[in-house]
């Protein structure tokens, strides 16, 4: 594949960002339904990354800072491959902030790593 100026056949200095969004606790509380998730994607994510993204359903656990309480919950994992620029980092932070405002959650985990891409 040859690519074009917007999507070169190979690109350098790209990042794979994974964002982890809690959508429900193991005990069935705090459930964020598919319609709420889709509305969030449409309003906050797609406008910032219109060229593509991947969403995976997940399940995970983490321990509160006090070390006494383990939380098990369903999650959505958003994977976005993007240029490693300040503007893209601002977009990611805006998505995280929007989710926290919309849900009252304390955090959205952001894991990132350099990636080689080819279109």
């Amino acid at each position: 594949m040859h690519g074009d100026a917007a999507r070169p056949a190979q690109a350098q200095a790209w990042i794979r960002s994974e964002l982890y969004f809690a959508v429900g606790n193991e005990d069935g509380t705090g459930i964020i339904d598919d319609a709420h998730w889709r509305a969030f994607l449409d309003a906050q994510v797609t406008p910032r990354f219109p060229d593509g993204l991947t969403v995976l359903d997940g399940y995970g656990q983490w321990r509160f800072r006090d070390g006494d309480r383990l939380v098990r919950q369903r999650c959505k994992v958003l994977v976005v491959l993007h240029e490693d620029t300040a503007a893209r980092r601002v977009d990611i932070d805006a998505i995280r902030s929007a989710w926290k405002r919309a849900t009252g959650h304390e955090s959205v985990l952001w894991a990132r790593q350099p990636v080689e891409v080819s279109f």
Side-chain angles (χ1 to χ4, degrees):
M1 201 169 199
H2 293 79
D4 59 32
R7 294 185 185 100
Q10 291 189 329
Q12 296 178 344
W14 277 50
I15 297 292
R16 174 189 168 115
S17 286
E18 295 177 1
L19 300 177
Y20 294 78
F21 301 87
V23 294
N25 295 327
E26 185 177 57
D27 63 4
T29 62
I31 299 297
I32 294 165
D33 64 20
D34 287 340
H36 183 118
W37 172 253
R38 180 67 54 109
F40 177 79
L41 278 179
D42 291 347
Q44 299 295 332
V45 181
T46 301
R48 291 180 172 94
F49 294 96
D51 291 334
L53 55 91
T54 301
V55 175
L56 307 168
D57 289 316
Y59 177 82
Q61 65 184 38
W62 59 279
R63 188 172 304 278
F64 275 94
R65 287 185 183 187
D66 63 14
D68 291 336
R69 194 169 74 158
L70 185 66
V71 175
R72 294 183 172 110
Q73 58 192 189
R74 293 184 314 114
C75 66
K76 298 285 187 182
V77 180
L78 172 66
V79 179
V80 182
L81 304 177
H82 58 88
E83 303 89 349
D84 187 15
T85 64
R88 297 282 97 181
R89 289 187 292 277
V90 167
D91 287 335
I92 295 287
D93 277 333
I95 291 166
R96 296 170 71 206
S97 294
W99 183 257
K100 290 186 278 188
R101 277 192 314 274
T103 63
H105 292 170
E106 293 180 12
S107 66
V108 173
L109 175 65
W110 178 11
R112 59 185 174 245
Q113 63 188 15
V115 64
E116 291 183 26
V117 298
S118 178
F119 298 95

